Amino acid sequence: MSTPPVDDADVPRYWQALGLPGLVDVHVHFLPERVQAKVWEYFGAAGTHYGAEWPVTYALPDEERLAILDRLGVRAFPTLPYPHKPGMAAWLNEWSAGFAAARPQVLQSATFYPEPEAAGYVAAALDGGARVFKVHVQVGSFDPRDPLLDDVWARLEKTGTPVVIHCGSGPLAGEHTGPEPVTGLLERYPRLQLVIAHLGMPEYREFLDLAVRYERVHLDTTMFATDFTERLMPFDRADLPRLSDLRAKVLLGSDFPSIPYAYAHQLEALHRLELGEEWLRAVLWGNGARLFGLEA
Ligand SMILES: [Zn+2]
């Protein structure tokens, strides 16, 4: 068994030792500059929102962040935009399509909000090459079962396009966070290819249940098991065997760039779960490569 990376410069040594061609990270954000600045402003005041300081490690211009991901060996990643109000999603989708163009490592991303235009712009995004969607239940403050989204979910169930959904109640609870709304959504659309962000923290167990029950439900590791998260929302180690069994459904996610520690620490956090090299190979590369049809 190799040793975990000590810092970002050591990350390529780590995935090479595992015999991997690099990393697939399903939870990376690139946003229009003004939107990104607002998000960082929010994290800057994190003490008031989260009760914990949240210094953003990679608050750098786009090109520098792209270069960092390249040096880390992240071969594929999305940009995961998300709106906090109506009338914003279509514009975010257009921006995201532009960002992904001529950058083959970027998985073209899109989003939606419960509004009458949603089915139309989601169809347009799919036709325009979107490969992954993002939904943020707490920031958007909507019930994913909102009838205005019926046609959107039906379409995404049919296409099987992965949807990264932040639906757990951590780090902040919202009116519609927690397992219940998503459970109801899956009862109606059981073939949705959902990727539960942050492993559903802090409701890990209930979201593990959903990944067991529904064939296409995945979990991403974003911030999971890091020192930061373990202090705020610890994972019950009694559930580690279940996480091991779900090897084919767990995907590396990081939340780069807005993380309060180095990228390498996310890998170290997964490594020290001691679920074995096969598990790490599946999580860090294999599952994401399969989901997005990537070649080594
Ligand atoms: Zn995120």
Side-chain angles (χ1 to χ4, degrees):
M1 189 81 177
S2 62
T3 53
V6 294
D7 57 21
D8 285 3
D10 193 32
V11 165
R13 193 263 320 152
Y14 181 63
W15 51 253
Q16 278 162 19
L18 286 167
L20 298 177
L23 304 167
V24 180
D25 185 336
V26 300
H27 200 129
V28 168
H29 297 283
F30 278 89
L31 302 169
E33 201 175 324
R34 266 184 25 244
V35 179
Q36 185 64 78
K38 284 242 160 72
V39 171
W40 285 341
E41 221 171 88
Y42 186 84
F43 284 115
T48 41
H49 310 301
Y50 301 119
E53 292 304 316
W54 197 305
V56 174
T57 308
Y58 302 98
L60 300 164
D62 283 354
E63 291 305 327
E64 284 179 45
R65 275 181 276 138
L66 286 163
I68 290 169
L69 289 168
D70 188 54
R71 285 199 295 272
L72 288 164
V74 182
R75 303 285 181 234
F77 55 88
T79 58
L80 304 187
Y82 52 95
H84 62 280
K85 58 181 186 191
M88 198 180 166
W91 169 72
L92 286 171
N93 294 351
E94 277 166 35
W95 185 91
S96 304
F99 190 87
R103 292 191 176 110
Q105 76 276 37
V106 176
L107 301 164
Q108 188 182 324
S109 306
T111 190
F112 49 87
Y113 190 88
E115 53 195 339
E117 304 81 10
Y121 62 66
V122 164
L126 286 166
D127 291 343
R131 298 168 76 182
V132 55
F133 283 75
K134 163 79 176 196
V135 172
H136 200 308
V137 170
Q138 183 258 323
V139 167
S141 192
F142 59 82
D143 190 318
R145 296 166 296 186
D146 191 311
L148 283 166
L149 293 176
D150 283 349
D151 292 343
V152 169
W153 292 123
R155 177 79 189 261
L156 292 172
E157 184 182 44
K158 207 163 150 194
T159 57
T161 311
V163 181
V164 177
I165 181 166
H166 183 136
C167 49
S169 303
L172 276 189
E175 195 184 336
H176 305 288
T177 59
E180 199 216 309
V182 175
T183 304
L185 179 68
L186 285 163
E187 280 163 7
R188 275 150 71 183
Y189 305 99
R191 299 275 299 150
L192 277 175
Q193 194 116 252
L194 295 186
V195 178
I196 309 290
H198 305 279
L199 240 122
M201 67 180 65
E203 294 108 339
Y204 303 108
R205 185 164 296 153
E206 291 83 349
F207 286 109
L208 285 173
D209 289 343
L210 288 181
V212 171
R213 198 177 321 149
Y214 291 96
E215 192 195 328
R216 298 169 94 178
V217 171
H218 295 70
L219 304 155
D220 86 31
T221 67
T222 306
M223 301 188 81
F224 174 67
T226 59
D227 294 344
F228 183 84
T229 299
E230 282 298 290
R231 272 195 300 275
L232 297 172
M233 294 168 280
F235 180 72
D236 185 346
R237 301 199 52 102
D239 283 327
L240 273 180
R242 302 184 66 207
L243 199 58
S244 175
D245 292 346
L246 284 167
R247 181 172 93 192
K249 297 185 137 193
V250 181
L251 302 155
L252 172 66
S254 67
D255 238 349
F256 180 92
S258 302
I259 41 177
Y261 43 73
Y263 193 97
H265 178 55
Q266 178 69 72
L267 301 175
E268 179 197 15
L270 298 174
H271 182 94
R272 69 190 178 187
L273 295 171
E274 298 187 333
L275 295 176
E277 292 199 354
E278 279 305 310
W279 190 87
L280 288 165
R281 278 191 275 274
V283 170
L284 303 184
W285 175 268
N287 297 337
R290 191 185 61 241
L291 200 60
F292 294 107
L294 309 175
E295 311 262 325

